[in-house]
Amino acid sequence: MMLRRWTKSMAACALGIAALLPASKPAAAATSFEQSVYLYNQAYDLNLNGPAGQGTGNWGSYRSWLGVANLGAEADPGWGPGDWYDCCQHVNWNSPWSTMQQRYGANLPTVILGMGQMPADPNGNDSWNQKLAWEDATWQAEANNDPTIMSYFANYAQEVNSLGFKKVIVRLGYEFDGGWNPFGNLNVMSNMPNNYIAAWRNIVNTMRANDPNHLIKFCWNPTDGNVQVWAPNFYPGDAYVDYIGIDTYDYAYGGVYPVGTTQPTQAQRDSAWFNSELPRINVFADLARTHGKPMVIGEWGLWQLNDGSHPSGGDNTSYLQRMYNWMSDPNNHVAAECYFEAPADGNSSLSGIFGATTFPKSAALYKQLFGDAGFTSVPPVPAGLSATAASGQVSLSWDFTGGATSYNIYRGTTAGGESATAIATGVTATSYVNTGLTNGTRYYYKIKGVNSKGASAYSSEVNATPVVPANYLVNPGFEAGNLSGWNMWVGGNSGAAYASNYTGDARTGSWGYTNWSTSPYELTLYQQVTVPNGSHTISAWVKNSGGQAACQMIVQYHGGSPVTVNIPAASAWIKISTTVNVTTGTLEVSFYSHASGNQWLNLDDVVVN
């Protein structure tokens, strides 16, 4: 929420995703809303009682109040240095997100995570101008792909994967064009928008390289108007953006609302909508259409009456109805909407979870518009079905179907030959992973949307062929120019210059890996990957100076005893390999060196297949 970042470290949103609703509502047959999402928040959502997976607590209370079958979650860690440290530098991974996943994981189709685009200023007592200077330098460092900063984003992507979410949308550096944080004052930062765009692209590339499950999608999320800069000039490019988002609230920059707690007249509300609010959000709807991107309304809602700095429309049911109509318009391609439900910087909440709402008329209308209860016909045909194959499985995804409370999945092995019996029913997410398949066999799929009135017609057909991938590792040849995807344990002589990525002696490509020091050292370079159970071969190309107490490739955590391959002394590249049987769905490959001074190991082209 605008003007919040220095006063609250976390915020809470309720994402109510609409479907086809009663006939009295405007036509929305092609609406693309995905699903409802509500934020678990450490500051406000303190009720997590009940057994794991049972949907109790505030998340469950909100789902029950809104009456939706499909409810995800949103988390906004804020901008404080503690939050950045927890999320990106792994001092203590943000436990509320982990708790949220443990509690509700089986029921979370999508998680939306807010994330700062740069580390918080480590000098907590800096003045505003000092913070501006620090962040200006950080923009430049990120634009130059600074390895230390990029390692934070690599760690963040790995942690998101480790939590087991099904789908994640990251609102990276949201409200970047506002002036309420130093980094948002891009109008006084150097080399803009070039540094911003380069930084965004470097961050996205780094996180994608450390996202082995391909969970993370990126939402470019400015505010809803020209605040400090003209946001469209900072668009990073279609290859680096999955969603275009905005944050918008029921107040008007034009000053048509009165200051204080007075409820505005309907004429004032109409003026605010048509002359201020609608033109601002249409800028980004037009941008999304131009670039072929779905939209996410990252934050929106009524504005609390007691905020004199931004006088509001009060209990404004016309604003809710107009926002619903706008989001339901398929031309605006809104995939998700996030009503700001937590009582941060005032209270715009509707559900009553945090106390009686001050907007009772709007609360009733919101339930009617965004709840599931009003379906009057079978859903339209689901759209956007796609299939992606991996070893032994096919992952399906599709657009949310307005009016559908669940989906049925149908499969065959010939075109048009899907069985009339669904392989899965009652699927409430907009994705499904079909496992246990035979590599090399082509599979064909269709789906139907379902609600209490029945099922839609079949969707269009897609197909995919599971295959064994060439390599399960991230950055296996170090061609990222850094150790993204890899981790390092350091033993003795931790201050030595023991590791480097360099171009001087790569076996293939531009980059390889070496460890070396003039002093004795001990370290392990390692990476853990998820693989199907069964036989897997691990290989690597190595060179070794010899003269080490130990120099080994070790494969472990696969369900059997660790397998150690000694790395012999060799001045030319040689290949080492081993084969293990995996029963745990994972394995770790590591390279251990216990060396005296001036001894080295070179490594390149590591493969797990």
Side-chain angles (χ1 to χ4, degrees), residues 39 97 122 209 211 427 443 514 518 565:
L39 172 67
W97 295 3
D211 178 22
V427 177
Y443 294 89
T514 187
T518 57
V565 179

Side-chain angles (χ1 to χ4, degrees), residues 19-23 25 67 367-368 371-377 451-453:
L20 287 182
L21 294 161
K25 298 179 182 180
K367 284 188 63 175
Q368 178 186 344
D372 285 346
F375 300 143
T376 59
S377 62
N451 64 20
S452 60
K453 300 299 181 180

Side-chain angles (χ1 to χ4, degrees), residues 1-5 11-13 74 76 171 174-175 180 223-224 246-253 257 272-273 276-278 280-281 297-304 310-313 316 319 323 338-342 344 348:
M1 183 181 284
M2 300 173 188
L3 302 176
R4 164 181 311 111
R5 303 306 178 201
C13 300
E74 176 168 349
D76 172 0
R171 296 169 66 215
Y174 54 104
E175 297 184 2
W180 34 90
T223 60
D224 65 344
I246 56 171
D247 295 355
T248 187
Y249 290 87
D250 183 29
Y251 60 77
Y253 293 142
Y257 286 147
W273 174 258
S276 179
E277 294 163 344
L278 181 60
R280 295 203 307 271
I281 61 179
I297 312 304
E299 298 177 16
W300 77 282
L302 305 174
W303 194 272
Q304 58 277 3
H310 294 85
S312 78
N316 187 357
Y319 174 74
M323 282 293 294
C338 171
Y339 186 89
F340 198 86
E341 180 65 18
S348 59

Side-chain angles (χ1 to χ4, degrees), residues 176-177 186 193 196-197 220-238 241 244-246 279-288 290-291:
F176 66 86
D177 58 337
L186 299 181
Y196 174 91
I197 292 172
W220 179 76
N221 192 156
T223 60
D224 65 344
N226 181 4
V227 184
Q228 295 293 317
V229 295
W230 181 237
N233 291 340
F234 289 73
Y235 183 71
D238 291 343
V241 172
I244 289 178
I246 56 171
R280 295 203 307 271
I281 61 179
N282 275 341
V283 167
F284 296 96
D286 291 341
L287 186 70
T290 299
H291 292 277

